[in-house]
Amino acid sequence: MNHLVIYVISDSLGETAEQVARASISQFTTTDYEIKRYSYVLDEENLGDILNLAKEENSVILYTLVNLKFVEQLVNFCSRENIPNVDLLSDLINSIALRTNLVPKREPGIIRKLDEKYFRRVEAIEFAVKYDDGKDPRGFEKADIVLIGISRTSKTPLSMYLANKNIKVANIPLVPEAEPPRELYDISPRKIVGLTNSPQKLNQIRTERLKALGLASNANYASYQRILEEISYAETIMRRIGCPIINVANKAIEETAGIILDIMKANGIKIYKD
């Protein structure tokens, strides 16, 4: 047989179409073929150039194009030049539209954007874990937002919640016995948020925490004197930095996160959409 050239044309990467081409050709006992993949075909002139190349060869065209104008151009060309062609998307898109009564977006590369969103979210979650609880102050510079506050002010849960919204969060506890790392003062206070809580709520949370650990509930960690000392110290640091302070007492994680997102927007910090 004549040398076969399978043209794969896509307005995205075209990986799926190429895999279909390879799966199909594997059903034949031949090695006299090649696959030419053309990715990100986004204008009529480019598409026309590729089609003109295809007509000069013993070709089959496999395509994943969502732009109906491009599909029409390709189909009309192949009809005139008698080139076999297979549309991998249109029939399925039309069938889904028929069954759902929804209108397809016909926007190239949507699945790639979804993949990018997924990996950005995974990266943000890994970042939150790596830079949780002040493990590495070098993360402050890389973070979209830095949360500071005393123990049991929801720093870690908030970091993870925001990470699931593709936001890179570092957090650090403030304790009177330890001066905050120098790196905290090297970044803009616009991306720092202070978290505090009411003494009563902290006493309740810390007491329950001690019980869960099998420790005495009257330990210094849960005493009002210690809690007031920590709150005073933390708020002094926050005022020195000049960052906003949120009292998380009686606030759900989602509510506090919403306030943080509003602060980020007001400060011009980029927020990726879900």
Side-chain angles (χ1 to χ4, degrees):
M1 78 171 196
N2 294 332
H3 178 69
L4 176 67
V5 182
I6 301 177
Y7 277 69
V8 172
I9 303 174
S10 177
D11 49 26
S12 188
L13 276 177
E15 291 175 321
T16 301
E18 182 174 347
Q19 289 300 314
V20 170
R22 294 190 184 280
S24 300
I25 200 69
S26 70
Q27 298 298 313
F28 299 87
T29 55
T30 178
T31 57
D32 190 18
Y33 76 93
E34 65 178 306
I35 297 174
K36 294 182 178 179
R37 187 172 85 186
Y38 295 87
S39 304
Y40 299 111
V41 179
L42 299 172
D43 64 74
E44 294 177 64
E45 184 178 355
N46 187 14
L47 178 57
D49 290 341
I50 297 167
L51 294 174
N52 282 322
L53 291 173
K55 79 174 183 178
E56 301 298 327
E57 303 188 270
N58 180 37
S59 64
V60 172
I61 296 177
L62 199 62
Y63 60 97
T64 53
L65 297 169
V66 296
N67 187 312
L68 290 176
K69 190 174 182 181
F70 290 0
V71 172
E72 183 180 4
Q73 179 185 348
L74 188 150
V75 169
N76 289 339
F77 184 94
C78 290
S79 179
R80 289 195 309 270
E81 300 297 334
N82 197 29
I83 301 174
N85 61 94
V86 180
D87 185 343
L88 290 180
L89 287 183
S90 293
D91 285 348
L92 183 55
I93 288 175
N94 292 337
S95 296
I96 293 171
L98 181 65
R99 284 298 186 184
T100 62
N101 292 320
L102 298 174
V103 178
K105 294 180 180 179
R106 295 286 177 182
E107 180 183 336
I110 288 179
I111 193 168
R112 185 62 48 187
K113 293 175 184 177
L114 291 173
D115 287 344
E116 289 173 359
K117 185 187 299 182
Y118 169 77
F119 287 116
R120 189 161 58 233
R121 182 167 300 175
V122 169
E123 183 182 3
I125 291 171
E126 290 176 345
F127 187 94
V129 172
K130 183 176 181 179
Y131 297 109
D132 180 50
D133 211 27
K135 290 174 185 171
D136 187 350
R138 291 174 298 180
F140 296 166
E141 183 62 37
K142 304 172 189 175
D144 297 316
I145 201 84
V146 177
L147 303 179
I148 61 175
I150 63 176
S151 173
R152 319 320 291 179
T153 50
S154 302
K155 296 183 298 301
T156 296
L158 278 166
S159 295
M160 297 308 298
Y161 184 91
L162 292 168
N164 274 283
K165 293 186 174 295
N166 310 320
I167 298 168
K168 292 182 178 178
V169 186
N171 75 74
I172 182 171
L174 298 178
V175 293
E177 291 77 16
E179 183 68 20
R182 175 187 50 80
E183 289 87 349
L184 187 62
Y185 300 101
D186 292 339
I187 61 173
S188 170
R190 293 166 64 87
K191 71 174 189 177
I192 301 174
V193 173
L195 303 174
T196 189
N197 207 333
S198 70
Q200 296 80 8
K201 192 72 174 179
L202 280 170
N203 172 259
Q204 179 186 347
I205 294 171
R206 291 187 177 189
T207 299
E208 291 301 319
R209 176 65 174 164
L210 289 171
K211 288 179 181 177
L213 294 173
L215 301 174
S217 60
N218 61 351
N220 187 47
Y221 173 71
S223 72
Y224 272 103
Q225 182 178 347
R226 173 63 184 184
I227 288 170
L228 291 172
E229 180 185 352
E230 288 187 30
I231 291 174
S232 175
Y233 171 77
E235 292 184 355
T236 298
I237 296 294
M238 294 170 192
R239 285 193 293 270
R240 185 191 306 168
I241 291 171
C243 65
I245 303 172
I246 303 173
N247 190 325
V248 302
N250 302 315
K251 285 186 177 67
I253 294 294
E254 295 83 357
E255 185 180 357
T256 306
I259 296 171
I260 293 172
L261 291 172
D262 288 341
I263 291 170
M264 292 178 70
K265 290 176 186 175
N267 288 342
I269 299 172
K270 184 175 182 180
I271 299 174
Y272 295 106
K273 293 182 180 179
D274 285 344

